[in-house]
Amino acid sequence: MKHLLLLVALIFAGATTMAQNRPESFNYKRGLEGIQNENLDEALEYFNKDLKENTKNGYSYSWIAMIYNRNEEYGKALNAANMAIKYLPKKDQEYIEFAYATRGNIYLNLEDTTMAINDYTSAIKLCPNSYELYENRADIYYEQAQYDLADADYQKYVKLNPGGVMGYMGLGRNANAKKEWDAAIKQFDYVVKLASDYPSGYSFRAEAYIGLKKWDDATNDLISALNLDWDRKAIYLMCHLENPATTMMTAKLRVQAAKNPNEPKWPYLQGLLYEQNKQHEKAIKAYNDAIEKEPSSVIYYRIAMCQYEEGLFNESLQSIDRALELDSTDVDLMSYKANVYYEMGKPDLAIREWDKVLAFQPDFAWGYYRRGWFKDLCNDMDGAIEDLTMSIVLDPEYAYAFACRGDVYTKQGQHELAEADYRKVIELENTPEKYECIQYAYLGLGQKDKAIAAMDTIIARDPKDAGNYYDATCIYSKMQDTENALKNLEKALELGYSRFAHIERDDDMDFIRNTEEFKALLDKYKSKKSETGRQTGAILGDGMESDMIVTEIPFVKESGVCKVNCHINGLPLHFIFDTGASDVTLSMVEATFMMKNGYLSRNDVVGKQRYMNAEGDVNVGTVINLKKVSFGELELNNVRASVVRSQKAPLLLGQSVLSRLGKIEIDNPGRVLKITHRK
């Protein structure tokens, strides 16, 4: 949509020879000014005013359609586009093309690809030299796997805009989809030559190299893409490499980390790769390295997930709490904390945590499902029904909520209601590709053979998923088939299923729970997990202890602000303690002095970024890494700071440091900052 906005702002601001006979009314011209200034709310107001005076002004309708589409008000957008096409002068092909293209975009957002293609085709007939229209239509053909039609449109794009990369990207993407790897590489080679700073050229070419099993070329391209940006495709491909590419990628990430010692990206990516390959100890070490460079709630979250997988639930809870210190309103973090509590055998705390989640996000359908499931396991049947019903109301397509509610109704003896829910699951999961919980529905209806067949289909789809074998354990246990239940439980545990608190509480296990084989399996794998946990805990080292101490840092107040003495790389300075600042800032005076006197080196320069202070002012500055920042007895390594170009800018101590120190209290009478932190 953005390219249409820019194109049409140029064409219809009165700068072309086609502008004769176009509206000259005050409100219409003010609306165009709003478009040019990208103030769409103001533009919409003026165009609507114009229509009150000129009810058949197709020009205003065309702009209103575009604005409503941008605002995701598709019904209003479609009505306005139809009126634009109806009332625009037939001779003004530029505007009619714009109206058709806008309506095509609206239909695309409404997922009506047939009508979208029709409108793009109509727009192309009116304006056959608009390469963006060919790109829009080609993208739909690609999504429909009509690669020949998509190729034809991308070829047209290339002829009309030979210096643009998107035509070649489209041709290469089509070739990748057809597994014509060499042809794809040829297109992406040209993309890289045209735009060496375009990360997708490298990541899509990496996909083709992976198809050819040219691992060295593939991993080099992934590194190139990731050097340029947090390229999602590159990250996805990296996390799904197979050996020997995984080993090569790990080594190359390590090289990048050595080349960029102040950049948290590279150890973070190492952690992702280790985590994907279930090397949780190495992942945690890499994530901790990234956190030393720049604290992040996301990285603490990933550490928590690794610890969870290793059965280190206390440590996982600590990591989640650290993440919440940085972002106390993150619903995902609170949700995960609830799951950790449950695995610790504390379902009451888990339910209480879900209470907090749903207070923050009362329309969170999955949250109600999860809390309802916990309540079911805690024998709160009425509470479970209430939550599961709420989940279904908010998301009537979520089969698990129906399956779970069906089970609760069955326990209550409400068999007609249970049967209706089970049949709804079967209706929703009506093809094998959709199977997730249909086996429970078949079992609830007494159709054991169908339940087993569905379970076998799910396992065959992903035979390495431990959770699938645990589901099979549940099915066979409920069918009172001890042999198959225990066989699947052992397979689940072999593959790493470690939710022992759930296994011991899950009523699906009731039939096999008291067998000696069941007890032996749990004892065996609990012991293995405990040993792994001890090893992982030893590797984690410092920072996981629960002992807390309080350090007091003196401050002085000048003109209403707190000033704190500190040392940066050994240089004594003082900062303004600013809880409203997002980062640490240095003025150009201090930074220049530190550079000239050896307190900073060129290797400490990271890059440039935009920053906003508590008042909302934005300053453009250089990002540097401060190797050591100390406050009395407290010391932090690798602190990010921005060098503000204003020479009068104060030294601000912002949240990137505060969040790493611990819990901070300001003791105004005592003139000290009290910082509660781990030893």
Side-chain angles (χ1 to χ4, degrees):
M1 184 66 70
K2 184 178 180 181
H3 64 271
L4 282 175
L5 176 59
L6 296 174
L7 173 68
V8 182
L10 288 173
I11 293 175
F12 300 121
T16 71
T17 57
M18 291 291 296
Q20 66 271 18
N21 300 323
R22 288 178 182 168
E24 294 289 336
S25 66
F26 172 80
N27 286 322
Y28 179 76
K29 295 177 91 172
R30 290 297 300 272
L32 285 181
E33 290 176 9
I35 293 290
Q36 288 178 301
N37 296 328
E38 297 192 25
N39 188 339
L40 299 188
D41 291 337
E42 179 182 287
L44 181 63
E45 180 182 351
Y46 280 110
F47 287 130
N48 277 319
K49 286 181 179 179
D50 180 69
L51 285 177
K52 290 181 179 179
E53 299 174 358
N54 306 287
T55 56
K56 296 183 179 181
N57 186 353
Y59 296 94
S60 285
Y61 277 121
S62 64
W63 288 111
I64 289 171
M66 188 208 72
I67 295 170
Y68 278 137
N69 190 41
R70 286 280 294 271
N71 292 341
E72 300 182 3
E73 298 181 70
Y74 302 128
K76 293 179 180 179
L78 187 59
N79 289 336
N82 289 335
M83 297 299 282
I85 292 169
K86 178 179 179 180
Y87 289 127
L88 281 169
K90 303 306 178 187
K91 293 182 179 180
D92 199 337
Q93 293 189 354
E94 289 175 336
Y95 252 109
I96 296 176
E97 175 269 323
F98 171 48
Y100 274 117
T102 299
R103 194 171 70 176
N105 293 334
I106 297 166
Y107 278 126
L108 191 59
N109 288 326
L110 292 170
E111 300 182 10
D112 188 341
T113 54
T114 300
M115 294 300 293
I117 287 176
N118 288 342
D119 275 348
Y120 288 142
T121 301
S122 296
I124 287 170
K125 289 178 181 178
L126 292 166
C127 189
N129 294 324
S130 174
Y131 54 83
E132 295 97 338
L133 293 172
Y134 290 102
E135 180 188 356
N136 289 349
R137 191 171 66 178
D139 286 344
I140 298 177
Y141 287 141
Y142 169 81
E143 295 296 336
Q144 296 176 339
Q146 298 188 63
Y147 300 121
D148 290 342
L149 292 174
D151 279 342
D153 275 355
Y154 286 130
Q155 291 285 7
K156 191 68 176 178
Y157 180 103
V158 167
K159 288 181 181 178
L160 293 170
N161 186 26
V165 300
M166 297 314 298
Y168 303 103
M169 283 295 299
L171 292 168
R173 184 177 63 170
N174 286 348
N176 271 351
K178 293 182 286 185
K179 298 186 178 181
E180 297 173 357
W181 309 120
D182 289 321
I185 289 169
K186 182 180 178 181
Q187 298 297 333
F188 297 130
D189 283 346
Y190 200 66
V191 169
V192 169
K193 290 176 182 177
L194 283 174
S196 60
D197 60 347
Y198 183 54
S200 292
Y202 298 99
S203 58
F204 276 82
R205 189 170 66 178
E207 181 180 16
Y209 281 133
I210 290 170
L212 293 171
K213 299 189 182 301
K214 293 186 175 181
W215 307 122
D216 189 48
D217 291 325
T219 51
N220 283 340
D221 268 355
L222 292 177
I223 291 294
S224 295
L226 293 167
N227 249 318
L228 292 167
D229 193 12
W230 288 90
D231 187 89
R232 292 185 180 182
K233 187 175 186 68
I235 293 172
Y236 174 83
L237 293 172
M238 178 195 77
C239 289
H240 291 81
L241 291 172
E242 60 185 66
N243 271 324
T246 301
T247 303
M248 296 172 69
M249 191 68 191
T250 302
K252 290 175 182 180
L253 288 172
R254 201 174 293 131
V255 169
Q256 292 300 313
K259 287 182 177 179
N260 304 276
N262 301 322
E263 176 57 63
K265 173 190 285 187
W266 301 110
Y268 174 72
L269 291 172
Q270 288 180 60
L272 282 181
L273 191 54
Y274 285 132
E275 184 183 349
Q276 180 66 26
N277 289 281
K278 301 188 184 301
Q279 296 175 282
H280 298 121
E281 298 168 8
K282 292 182 177 180
I284 291 169
K285 289 179 71 176
Y287 288 143
N288 277 327
D289 187 17
I291 278 179
E292 280 296 310
K293 295 171 174 53
E294 187 172 339
S296 163
S297 61
V298 172
I299 303 178
Y300 277 123
Y301 185 19
R302 301 220 71 89
I303 291 174
M305 288 191 283
C306 290
Q307 292 163 334
Y308 178 97
E309 291 299 323
E310 292 299 318
L312 299 169
F313 298 123
N314 285 322
E315 290 86 346
S316 182
L317 192 63
Q318 288 178 11
S319 295
I320 284 293
D321 282 337
R322 292 185 188 182
L324 285 166
E325 287 173 7
L326 297 176
D327 189 352
S328 62
T329 62
D330 190 315
V331 170
D332 289 337
L333 294 175
M334 289 186 279
S335 303
Y336 199 79
K337 186 174 181 178
N339 291 335
V340 175
Y341 273 136
Y342 179 76
E343 298 303 334
M344 295 172 72
K346 300 177 179 179
D348 53 332
L349 293 180
I351 291 171
R352 194 180 306 169
E353 201 65 29
W354 276 114
D355 293 342
K356 296 178 186 177
V357 172
L358 294 170
F360 267 101
Q361 193 171 331
D363 59 349
F364 188 18
W366 189 79
Y368 288 104
Y369 160 75
R370 194 69 175 170
R371 189 175 69 177
W373 184 67
F374 286 160
K375 287 180 178 179
D376 173 23
L377 294 172
C378 293
N379 295 314
D380 178 5
M381 299 293 108
D382 291 337
I385 291 291
E386 181 180 357
D387 275 350
L388 293 167
T389 301
M390 189 69 173
S391 176
I392 289 167
V393 169
L394 292 170
D395 184 2
E397 303 296 313
Y398 189 51
Y400 270 105
F402 286 101
C404 190
R405 192 174 68 173
D407 287 347
V408 179
Y409 279 141
T410 298
K411 293 173 187 176
Q412 291 182 325
Q414 301 190 62
H415 297 294
E416 289 185 8
L417 293 174
E419 182 177 332
D421 276 352
Y422 292 141
R423 294 198 181 282
K424 184 63 179 181
V425 174
I426 295 169
E427 177 188 324
L428 290 170
E429 297 187 0
N430 52 16
T431 63
E433 294 77 18
K434 295 180 180 179
Y435 285 2
E436 290 186 358
C437 61
I438 193 172
Q439 67 275 27
Y440 292 104
Y442 280 132
L443 190 61
L445 294 170
Q447 301 175 26
K448 295 182 180 180
D449 290 343
K450 288 185 176 181
I452 293 171
M455 193 70 253
D456 289 344
T457 298
I458 293 171
I459 289 175
R461 192 171 62 202
D462 190 354
K464 294 183 180 180
D465 187 335
N468 289 341
Y469 293 97
Y470 183 77
D471 282 339
T473 304
C474 296
I475 291 295
Y476 284 114
S477 177
K478 293 177 78 169
M479 287 168 37
Q480 300 186 1
D481 183 341
T482 303
E483 181 181 353
N484 279 313
L486 291 171
K487 182 174 70 174
N488 280 281
L489 178 59
E490 184 170 17
K491 184 66 175 179
L493 294 169
E494 281 179 5
L495 289 172
Y497 195 89
S498 59
R499 298 175 57 196
F500 297 108
H502 173 61
I503 295 173
E504 292 169 348
R505 182 177 291 273
D506 190 351
D507 54 17
D508 288 349
M509 299 290 110
D510 285 351
F511 186 74
I512 62 172
R513 192 182 312 282
N514 293 322
T515 65
E516 293 302 319
E517 295 89 343
F518 178 85
K519 296 174 184 177
L521 279 174
L522 259 61
D523 288 343
K524 174 183 175 181
Y525 284 95
K526 272 186 179 180
S527 177
K528 282 187 176 182
K529 181 59 71 174
S530 177
E531 179 60 30
T532 303
R534 284 195 295 270
Q535 293 172 0
T536 303
I539 288 173
L540 294 182
D542 297 335
M544 289 300 169
E545 302 88 354
S546 60
D547 295 340
M548 308 295 285
I549 59 175
V550 177
T551 297
E552 295 185 352
I553 299 176
F555 68 82
V556 295
K557 271 205 169 182
E558 294 181 8
S559 302
V561 298
C562 301
K563 286 192 173 182
V564 181
N565 290 328
C566 69
H567 287 76
I568 299 179
N569 297 342
L571 176 66
L573 292 168
H574 64 264
F575 274 92
I576 291 176
F577 180 81
D578 186 358
T579 58
S582 64
D583 218 328
V584 176
T585 62
L586 290 163
S587 76
M588 189 65 75
V589 173
E590 284 81 11
T592 302
F593 175 84
M594 294 174 71
M595 187 71 73
K596 289 182 177 180
N597 290 276
Y599 294 102
L600 289 173
S601 70
R602 293 187 180 276
N603 291 333
D604 294 321
V605 177
V606 178
K608 294 182 179 179
Q609 184 67 44
R610 288 191 176 271
Y611 290 87
M612 181 175 290
N613 63 17
E615 288 71 43
D617 297 320
V618 177
N619 295 294
V620 178
T622 302
V623 185
I624 61 173
N625 181 65
L626 307 178
K627 290 190 177 72
K628 183 187 294 186
V629 179
S630 55
F631 311 87
E633 299 175 2
L634 293 178
E635 181 179 298
L636 291 171
N637 296 319
N638 298 313
V639 175
R640 291 300 182 89
S642 61
V643 180
V644 183
R645 299 201 184 284
S646 170
Q647 294 191 5
K648 296 181 179 180
L651 283 74
L652 294 181
L653 174 62
Q655 291 290 352
S656 67
V657 169
L658 302 183
S659 62
R660 293 171 64 176
L661 293 175
K663 180 182 178 182
I664 299 176
E665 297 177 81
I666 302 176
D667 181 355
N668 282 309
R671 288 291 194 267
V672 293
L673 303 177
K674 292 183 177 180
I675 302 178
T676 305
H677 60 97
R678 292 174 177 83
K679 289 181 182 178

